[in-house]
Amino acid sequence: MSSITRRALVASAAAAMTAILPSQRPVLAQAPAPAPGPFVQPPLPFLEPQLAPTISNRTIILHYSRHHAGYFTALNALTKDTKYVSMTLDQVVIESDKETDRRIYNNAAQAWNHNLYWVTFKPGGAKAPSGKLLEMINASFGSFDQMKIKLKADTTAVFGSGWGWLAQDGDKLVVVPTLAGANLLTRNMTTLIGIDVWEHAYYLDYENRRPDHIQAVLDNIINWDVVASRLKS
Ligand SMILES: [Fe+2]
């Protein structure tokens, strides 16, 4: 992110910051320092308050600086002095799955999932896809609304913690739910959107109303330009 863009984000978030309860601010200050290691958590592409009210400032802070950061801390500890330290994060996910190194796979996959998750969002995100992405959505689901209904229904139905994915499978788009930290890197599909339905992603804001959270995410904060850029030709 350029310094100009970052400054613009800071300026546009200033008003939103004034709405943050003082009791919420120390959470970030108390966040543990990232653990050293070869796998580094990327910065958020927005400021913590900027996705509210779809996702609150407090949820973003806890989700990013505790849960997501925690996967990197665990991954760096688990891979120390192993063959995995010389791999990319994608390669660690694929290789640890092959080798059935489950703890490494779980943490690597969750680190990867959240890397994709955060950059899919944009404050006041574009309201609808267009171009080739829209054509593929229409061909695969009938309409943009039907795609959202399918993605919401299948993601809501995940039993326990997991993810709902919109993915490209050849020339079609598909919805694929997965459990726990599993993703589609080992399934020869291109991941377009991942919706996190671990309770840490929504419970502070929506309590048990998982479908409301998914609907708000799809309606309000998806950056459809980023989603379109992930399509493979
Ligand atoms: Fe999460």
Side-chain angles (χ1 to χ4, degrees):
M1 184 183 302
S2 73
S3 59
I4 292 174
T5 306
R6 183 72 186 172
R7 279 201 300 275
L9 278 174
V10 170
S12 65
M17 291 288 284
T18 63
I20 301 167
L21 295 173
S23 61
Q24 292 176 305
R25 298 303 302 280
V27 174
L28 185 60
Q30 291 166 7
F39 302 104
V40 178
Q41 183 187 25
L44 284 173
F46 45 78
L47 297 180
E48 291 87 349
Q50 289 188 303
L51 299 187
T54 302
I55 305 176
S56 71
N57 176 63
R58 185 170 173 77
T59 292
I60 297 285
I61 288 171
L62 288 167
H63 198 171
Y64 175 78
S65 65
R66 298 295 177 85
H67 294 278
H68 190 196
Y71 299 126
F72 278 91
T73 299
L75 181 62
N76 282 322
L78 289 165
T79 56
K80 191 169 188 299
D81 300 326
T82 72
K83 64 180 181 179
Y84 294 107
V85 294
S86 60
M87 298 181 188
T88 65
L89 184 56
D90 297 44
Q91 289 169 334
V92 174
V93 173
I94 292 165
E95 287 302 313
S96 62
D97 186 54
K98 271 190 213 160
E99 301 281 348
T100 62
D101 288 330
R102 301 319 303 170
R103 291 179 68 200
I104 291 176
Y105 173 81
N106 289 339
N107 284 284
Q110 280 290 75
W112 187 95
N113 295 347
H114 289 82
N115 286 359
L116 178 130
Y117 180 73
W118 299 122
V119 296
T120 306
F121 298 148
K122 173 184 174 185
K127 299 304 179 197
S130 59
K132 181 186 174 189
L133 175 60
L134 180 59
E135 288 172 17
M136 292 184 77
I137 288 172
N138 289 338
S140 302
F141 301 100
S143 69
F144 177 46
D145 283 343
Q146 287 300 315
M147 183 279 284
K148 289 200 291 185
I149 289 168
K150 170 79 171 162
L151 183 52
K152 177 183 171 184
D154 288 8
T155 306
T156 298
V158 169
F159 188 73
S161 298
W163 292 78
W165 307 98
L166 178 70
Q168 180 181 4
D169 185 7
D171 59 0
K172 284 187 60 180
L173 301 188
V174 293
V175 168
V176 184
T178 60
L179 297 176
N183 62 37
L184 309 181
L185 280 180
T186 57
R187 297 203 201 178
N188 199 29
M189 294 181 190
T190 301
T191 307
L192 302 180
I193 292 175
I195 299 183
D196 185 348
V197 286
W198 287 55
E199 288 184 349
H200 64 230
Y202 64 88
Y203 218 86
L204 285 176
D205 301 334
Y206 296 83
E207 299 179 333
N208 63 327
R209 300 186 306 279
R210 179 186 279 188
D212 293 355
H213 168 71
I214 298 167
Q215 188 73 54
V217 166
L218 291 174
D219 288 345
N220 301 330
I221 58 171
I222 298 289
N223 186 336
W224 293 105
D225 293 334
V226 165
V227 176
S229 74
R230 293 171 178 157
L231 287 173
K232 293 268 168 53
S233 53

